[in-house]
Amino acid sequence: MYDIFHQDPNSTIAKAFQNGYEVVYDLDNTMEIFHWNRYSHETITIDHRNIFIPDEMRDLHGFEIEMYALEYASKVMTFDAYLLEQICMKINATPVPTEINSPRISVSVLVSIKIPNAQEVVTGAGTVFWAVNVPRAKPKSIMSVLIDPFDMYTWITYFVLVLAMAISLSLFGTLLGRHHFLEIVLELIMISIAGPSRTYGGSFENRIITIFCLMGIVIVSSYQSLVISFMSFVRYHPEINTLAEIEERCVFDDKDASFFNFKTYANDSYGDRDEQCFFEIGRDNEQRTILIASKLTLGRRLFGVDDYTRYRVQHYRYASTKFFEYQLCYFINPRLREVFKFYIHAIFESGIYDHYYNNKSQPAWLYKQDTFVDRVVKVGDLTLLWYAYAVGTLLSVICYVVETVVHKVFEE
């Protein structure tokens, strides 16, 4: 039987027995145990009187372990190939990184939000996540420094105070009570900006305006200080970070957005690029993910690597909200799984992963926000002032004409 079995070593039953142990015995009860080592391509004999099963995974005799990883990603995330090399050194194997999928693949890097059966994968170092690329916040107009020092509730409180004082002065004021209500409101606003412009009459009127002037000193002083400080650093619109902000301000051109009920463009329509957001599968952090994307063939056709990186950093950023964030996983051949689990666990305990990437040079971010100090004030920034000046001049002329006509009618 032993001779017949070895006549055709490539048969299906022969291959099945090669994965186990062959026990050969005869009528005289003499027994031999054979085992085929698929890595050294040798048949070894085990002493049946002292059965010791050797661990053939300690020495693979140069067996080629192929790792499947996309080329553009492996150029940036070089730790995967480094891990394979270190493990192969320990078990006398040959590392073969490849991006060609074939039945000979023993290890695959899984970068996907869809993970197969958990029993077939081994967690590795690093993380994989599904991020949302959102447009960077645009600089605010220089006119925003006139409004931003106080929040909405402070402005409302101030105008309610002015209206309340105007009503009181119109009812009980000795001098201002003779004027129109809008003139009183305008007078109180001018008091806040430049102080009293005339002598007022009556005890009630003088006291309430004096208190208003004292309060105006505090308000105007703090307002002027904040305006000066706001002009010395970046003033940008709010960034998109939270889930609620993504739902409200982002528009996607992506089918995956329907899973989260996010807003999408209508068929064959594209809106403003400043509103467009898109999903991206990332590794570890935003910087490494941008470097991976810059290695894509499509990106090299449209831009150079530096141009693509500069464009991405200047126009887009990751929102703080991420989806499906988990550890990187490897799909490993069952024969090699225990070996890889042992060494990957050692990687976790030693902290080699973070040390490996922290000692690699990384390109500096090319994006720098400008400030009003560095930026030249252009005519467009002062358009609102010109509008206000023109409207104010027009109103003054109209009021002067109306007042002249009314006085002339009364005199006649």
Side-chain angles (χ1 to χ4, degrees), residues 137-148:
K138 301 301 179 184
K140 287 186 176 182
S141 169
I142 195 171
M143 298 304 300
S144 65
V145 298
L146 301 178
I147 302 174
D148 288 349

Side-chain angles (χ1 to χ4, degrees), residues 218-365:
V218 178
I219 293 178
V220 174
S221 297
S222 60
Y223 177 81
Q224 291 176 344
S225 301
L226 289 171
V227 168
I228 295 172
S229 63
F230 281 6
M231 292 187 68
S232 63
F233 75 99
V234 182
R235 299 297 300 158
Y236 281 77
H237 293 285
E239 297 279 10
I240 302 175
N241 280 312
T242 64
L243 180 60
E245 292 169 345
I246 294 174
E247 292 177 343
E248 180 182 357
R249 299 171 54 188
C250 276
V251 182
F252 291 84
D253 182 25
D254 196 329
K255 294 180 180 179
D256 293 327
S258 60
F259 292 111
F260 302 96
N261 199 25
F262 291 153
K263 292 184 291 187
T264 57
Y265 291 113
N267 294 333
D268 300 328
S269 64
Y270 298 93
D272 188 0
R273 183 177 293 272
D274 295 340
E275 297 179 347
Q276 184 176 359
C277 304
F278 56 92
F279 290 105
E280 184 175 38
I281 296 178
R283 286 194 61 178
D284 290 354
N285 54 47
E286 183 178 4
Q287 186 175 20
R288 292 172 191 167
T289 306
I290 290 178
L291 293 177
I292 293 173
S294 67
K295 304 298 182 181
L296 277 168
T297 304
L298 179 61
R300 290 200 299 267
R301 288 176 184 171
L302 299 177
F303 308 94
V305 172
D306 294 337
D307 294 333
Y308 174 83
T309 304
R310 184 181 298 108
Y311 175 81
R312 275 288 303 272
V313 172
Q314 288 181 350
H315 293 85
Y316 289 95
R317 54 177 290 275
Y318 279 173
S320 299
T321 301
K322 298 177 182 178
F323 304 94
F324 305 110
E325 187 171 7
Y326 53 85
Q327 284 184 296
L328 176 73
C329 295
Y330 296 102
F331 181 83
I332 301 176
N333 186 289
R335 286 181 171 272
L336 301 172
R337 190 169 298 145
E338 293 300 323
V339 176
F340 272 77
K341 285 177 66 176
F342 173 80
Y343 287 107
I344 290 175
H345 184 71
I347 293 294
F348 279 115
E349 290 185 344
S350 62
I352 294 177
Y353 184 79
D354 294 330
H355 179 76
Y356 176 87
Y357 280 113
N358 289 339
N359 284 287
K360 293 178 70 68
S361 59
Q362 299 290 340
W365 291 112

Side-chain angles (χ1 to χ4, degrees), residues 140-143 231 370-372 374-386:
K140 287 186 176 182
S141 169
I142 195 171
M143 298 304 300
M231 292 187 68
D370 60 348
T371 63
F372 288 140
D374 302 327
R375 198 176 77 179
V376 177
V377 178
K378 301 179 181 179
V379 176
D381 297 325
L382 303 178
T383 304
L384 183 60
L385 293 180
W386 290 110

Side-chain angles (χ1 to χ4, degrees), residues 168-169 172-173 201-209:
S168 300
L169 291 173
F172 307 107
S203 176
F204 173 77
E205 188 173 298
N206 285 330
R207 290 181 181 180
I208 195 172
I209 290 180

Side-chain angles (χ1 to χ4, degrees), residues 9 26 39 47 84 143 153 189 199 231 277 285 290 298 324 353 393 396 410:
D26 56 15
Y39 301 110
D47 188 0
L84 180 64
M143 298 304 300
Y153 300 103
I189 294 176
T199 303
M231 292 187 68
C277 304
N285 54 47
I290 290 178
L298 179 61
F324 305 110
Y353 184 79
T393 303
S396 298
F410 283 149

